Amino acid sequence: YRASQKPLEITPRHKIIAELNTIVAADNADDDTQDMAWLLLDNALMQSGFPVHDVADFNDRMLRSVFKAGLSIDSFDLNPEIEVPEEEDEADQADDEDSLDLDDDFDDAASDEL
């Protein structure tokens, strides 16, 4: 049996497609524009139940698009070395754990729900 093919429908009037077309037509396409176009295809494939062709590339595109834009990160290069504070002694941590009883809080919350 042959598997039926699903068409990829592109609506030229959609604002995303129109904006991408404007950028490409003005010869202003850059890596971010290419990432957006690939992410649109990846998204369409996943919504239709198909796997993403290259998961590693998809992951890289998502990280670049989401985190750079949302967090204003220019590069994913590591920050310079930082000093890590020394941890408390294990004896001090054991004392802190003895003073905190999470079971009491959990039991109180469970009885409130009943």
Side-chain angles (χ1 to χ4, degrees), residues 1 3 8 12 29 33 36 41 49-50 58 68 71-72 80 82 87 89 100-102 105:
Y1 295 90
L8 173 63
T33 307
M36 285 186 276
L41 177 60
F50 295 101
F58 170 73
K68 277 188 178 181
L71 298 175
S72 301
I82 59 172
E87 294 184 11
D89 291 339
L100 180 63
D101 189 3
L102 296 177
D105 293 336

Side-chain angles (χ1 to χ4, degrees), residues 84-102:
V84 179
E86 291 186 29
E87 294 184 11
E88 293 181 39
D89 291 339
E90 289 183 22
D92 292 341
Q93 288 179 349
D95 291 340
D96 291 343
E97 290 174 5
D98 290 340
S99 65
L100 180 63
D101 189 3
L102 296 177

Side-chain angles (χ1 to χ4, degrees), residues 8-104:
L8 173 63
E9 296 181 18
I10 298 175
T11 306
R13 292 178 36 226
H14 193 284
K15 290 183 182 206
I16 294 173
I17 300 299
E19 183 64 24
L20 284 172
N21 188 40
T22 301
I23 292 169
V24 171
D27 203 25
N28 289 334
D30 58 6
D31 290 340
D32 291 338
T33 307
Q34 186 173 1
D35 281 347
M36 285 186 276
W38 275 106
L39 284 171
L40 280 174
L41 177 60
D42 292 336
N43 188 329
L45 288 170
M46 288 187 295
Q47 285 185 355
S48 297
F50 295 101
V52 174
H53 176 69
D54 189 333
V55 175
D57 284 345
F58 170 73
N59 184 54
D60 290 344
R61 284 190 288 273
M62 285 298 296
L63 288 174
R64 282 192 301 265
S65 298
V66 174
F67 291 116
K68 277 188 178 181
L71 298 175
S72 301
I73 296 173
D74 295 329
S75 168
F76 285 121
D77 293 337
L78 295 177
N79 288 334
E81 289 289 327
I82 59 172
E83 268 189 54
V84 179
E86 291 186 29
E87 294 184 11
E88 293 181 39
D89 291 339
E90 289 183 22
D92 292 341
Q93 288 179 349
D95 291 340
D96 291 343
E97 290 174 5
D98 290 340
S99 65
L100 180 63
D101 189 3
L102 296 177
D103 291 332
D104 288 340

